[in-house]
Amino acid sequence: AERARIAEAAAKRETERAVEAEKEETYSGYIAKIGFAAATVDQNAFDKTRDLLAACPDKPDEAGHVFQHHWEWRRLQYLCTRAERVFRSDYDRQPIETVALSSDGKLIAAGGWGGSIHIWDTRSAKEVHSFTIVGQYVFALAFSPDGKHLAIGTNAKPGYVTIVDIEAQEHVQLQGHQDTVLSVVYSTDGKRLLTSSYDATARLWDLGTPEPTLLHTFEGYHDSWVHSAAFSPDEKRIVPA
């Protein structure tokens, strides 16, 4: 009886070791598939991603062992199954230079060659507004934090910066830059606008008054174009580049 008990215990240990080895092998295979799946996401090869994820076990095998998907599997599954939405208009015939998304994610704007700007509802993908500026090119767009205004950087004289009341379709030009404006950025409260230009300057504007005014011109830091400018996190400094 004692020998039988010892043999039974030894057999149980061997079975447990075999189960653990099988689990480790399954997990190693899972990690390998996850690595390959992540690489296919980077390549936008989402069909391959889905095939690799489908090959990862998430139910009992023949021996009754269960392997559960981890967070990385769910993350990759989310990335490769997100719905794509195409925003179309007659503007598709012109190259796009810049796009902007409103802070609430409900509106998307695009501008570029031809001076046309189009705004779509992101939920329906329907175009809700469109207008044309005087200049030939739109290089920068930014929604105000409340989504009611759109700041536009262009090659249109005299100011090269236009702010549009989206619903009223009213335009205000900010005059100060001497050449094409390449970037526009709102402060978080929407009361200031930071712009940069081919004229080798960045400029800060006060939008909190009935008539927008120029607060400061940042110059002498660049010998050539200022392609972009950004606020520091506390908005006490700016970084031109």
Side-chain angles (χ1 to χ4, degrees), residues 13-221:
R13 287 193 296 272
E14 286 298 322
T15 300
E16 290 174 349
R17 281 195 289 269
V19 169
E20 289 302 317
E22 185 178 354
K23 287 181 179 179
E24 186 173 342
E25 182 179 355
T26 300
Y27 183 71
S28 297
Y30 166 81
I31 291 300
K33 290 185 179 71
I34 288 296
F36 287 130
T40 58
V41 166
D42 291 339
Q43 299 164 3
N44 293 324
F46 297 119
D47 288 342
K48 292 181 179 179
T49 308
R50 287 189 284 269
D51 289 343
L52 287 164
L53 294 178
C56 295
D58 66 339
K59 56 186 179 180
D61 58 20
E62 294 180 357
H65 307 138
V66 179
F67 182 85
Q68 297 292 334
H69 291 158
H70 295 173
W71 67 268
E72 60 273 9
W73 186 96
R74 293 189 290 272
R75 174 63 178 169
L76 292 171
Q77 181 73 3
Y78 165 75
L79 290 175
C80 72
T81 55
R82 289 183 298 176
E84 293 183 357
R85 186 159 291 171
V86 178
F87 301 90
R88 297 188 181 280
S89 73
D90 291 339
Y91 190 72
D92 291 340
R93 300 169 187 169
Q94 296 281 4
I96 290 176
E97 290 282 349
T98 180
V99 295
L101 187 68
S102 62
S103 59
D104 60 7
K106 293 181 179 180
L107 296 174
I108 187 170
W113 293 21
S116 293
I117 297 165
H118 294 257
I119 301 176
W120 294 268
D121 183 312
T122 57
R123 293 160 295 184
S124 65
K126 291 182 179 180
E127 187 175 316
V128 291
H129 297 288
S130 66
F131 44 88
T132 302
I133 60 166
V134 176
Q136 186 178 1
Y137 300 104
V138 177
F139 289 103
L141 295 171
F143 282 99
S144 60
D146 61 9
K148 295 180 179 180
H149 296 84
L150 186 70
I152 307 164
T154 74
N155 71 330
K157 296 180 180 180
Y160 302 99
V161 181
T162 300
I163 295 179
V164 178
D165 182 316
I166 296 172
E167 290 298 329
Q169 294 284 288
E170 295 176 351
H171 299 202
V172 175
Q173 282 200 333
L174 308 185
Q175 297 189 26
H177 280 294
Q178 303 302 308
D179 206 340
T180 299
V181 165
L182 303 173
S183 73
V184 289
V185 182
Y186 277 96
S187 61
T188 54
D189 61 6
K191 294 181 179 180
R192 293 178 296 164
L193 185 74
L194 180 61
T195 59
S196 67
S197 167
Y198 278 155
D199 67 8
T201 72
R203 299 179 191 243
L204 185 64
W205 309 83
D206 182 3
L207 306 182
T209 58
E211 293 293 331
T213 56
L214 179 62
L215 289 175
H216 191 79
T217 298
F218 302 91
E219 57 186 336
Y221 305 104

